[in-house]
Amino acid sequence: MTENTPGGVPSPSQGSGGAPKPPEPSGVDLARVALRAAKEAARARGDAAQQKKQARRGGLRSGARADGRDPMALGSAINRLITERGWEAPAAVGGVMGRWPQIVGEDVAKHCVPEKYDEDERVLTVRCDSTAWATNLRLLAPTLVARLNEDLGHGRVKLIKVQGPGGPARRYGPLRAPGSTGPGDTYG
C-alpha cells in the first residue's frame, strides 16, 4: 500500500515513532462543537420551561399549535439527526462516494472504487482492479485530494490510500509446499 499526500510530503499523523496523533480541531470544527453545545443547552432550557408551564395548566394537552410532539418530514428528521449526532463530515463523504464517477471521471471510476473513509486520520481508501490502475491512481492522488477538498471543505481528505487488487483465495492441499505463498507476488 502506498500513501500519497499533496506535494509528496508525509502527513504529520504518520509520525516516525509510534502511534499517529489525532488531528487538532480547526476553527470550523470548534465552531460546530460550540454551536451544537449551545443549541443543546437552549433546547434543554426551553424543554424545562415548557414542562413547568404544562404542569401548571394540568398536564400534557394537544392543541392547534405546533409543538415538539408533532410529526416531522423525513428530510427534516434526517437533517436534524445528522446535526445532533455530529455526522456532517461522514454524511458529506458518503455523498462523495455516491458521486465518485462525476468527481474522478467515468474511466477511472470503472477501475477504482472508494472503500472507506477514516474520519480521525482523514484518509480515503480506494481499491483498484489492477496494479496498473493502482499505479495510475497513485500518480493522480494529489490532484484527487485537492478536488475532494474543494467539494467537501478544506482539509477533509488529507491522504488517499490506494490498494491494488486482492489475490486469489489461498487454497491448501496435498500439492502445496508448506509455507509457500503461491502466485501472490503478482497481485497488489
Side-chain angles (χ1 to χ4, degrees):
M1 289 187 251
T2 301
E3 300 177 359
N4 290 325
T5 58
V9 179
S11 68
S13 65
Q14 301 172 357
S16 60
K21 295 188 292 185
E24 293 294 323
S26 67
V28 174
D29 293 333
L30 290 173
R32 280 191 184 122
V33 170
L35 178 63
R36 193 176 312 124
K39 282 182 177 180
E40 288 174 4
R43 189 176 299 118
R45 285 192 307 267
D47 288 345
Q50 187 172 3
Q51 286 174 357
K52 285 181 183 178
K53 186 190 294 185
Q54 286 177 347
R56 281 192 306 243
R57 287 189 299 175
L60 292 175
R61 297 182 185 176
S62 65
R65 295 196 178 109
D67 64 2
R69 298 175 293 154
D70 288 343
M72 295 177 73
L74 182 61
S76 300
I78 289 174
N79 288 337
R80 179 176 165 189
L81 180 67
I82 287 172
T83 303
E84 286 176 353
R85 302 281 172 117
W87 293 339
E88 291 95 356
V93 171
V96 165
M97 288 185 176
R99 294 180 287 119
W100 182 251
Q102 290 86 18
I103 293 172
V104 298
E106 293 292 329
D107 198 30
V108 175
K110 288 179 188 174
H111 301 282
C112 304
V113 179
E115 283 195 337
K116 66 179 180 176
Y117 174 71
D118 184 1
E119 186 178 359
D120 296 332
E121 295 182 16
R122 299 177 189 242
V123 174
L124 178 66
T125 303
V126 179
R127 178 160 312 272
C128 298
D129 62 359
S130 70
T131 54
W133 276 103
T135 302
N136 189 20
L137 195 66
R138 284 184 189 107
L139 295 173
L140 292 173
T143 307
L144 288 178
V145 167
R147 197 177 298 168
L148 288 169
N149 283 329
E150 269 180 31
D151 197 286
L152 293 172
H154 182 68
R156 259 321 149 195
V157 177
K158 290 185 178 181
L159 178 71
I160 293 181
K161 193 181 287 187
V162 181
Q163 297 179 341
R170 305 276 189 244
R171 292 186 285 164
Y172 299 99
L175 300 178
R176 303 274 306 172
S180 74
T181 59
D185 61 336
T186 60
Y187 294 93

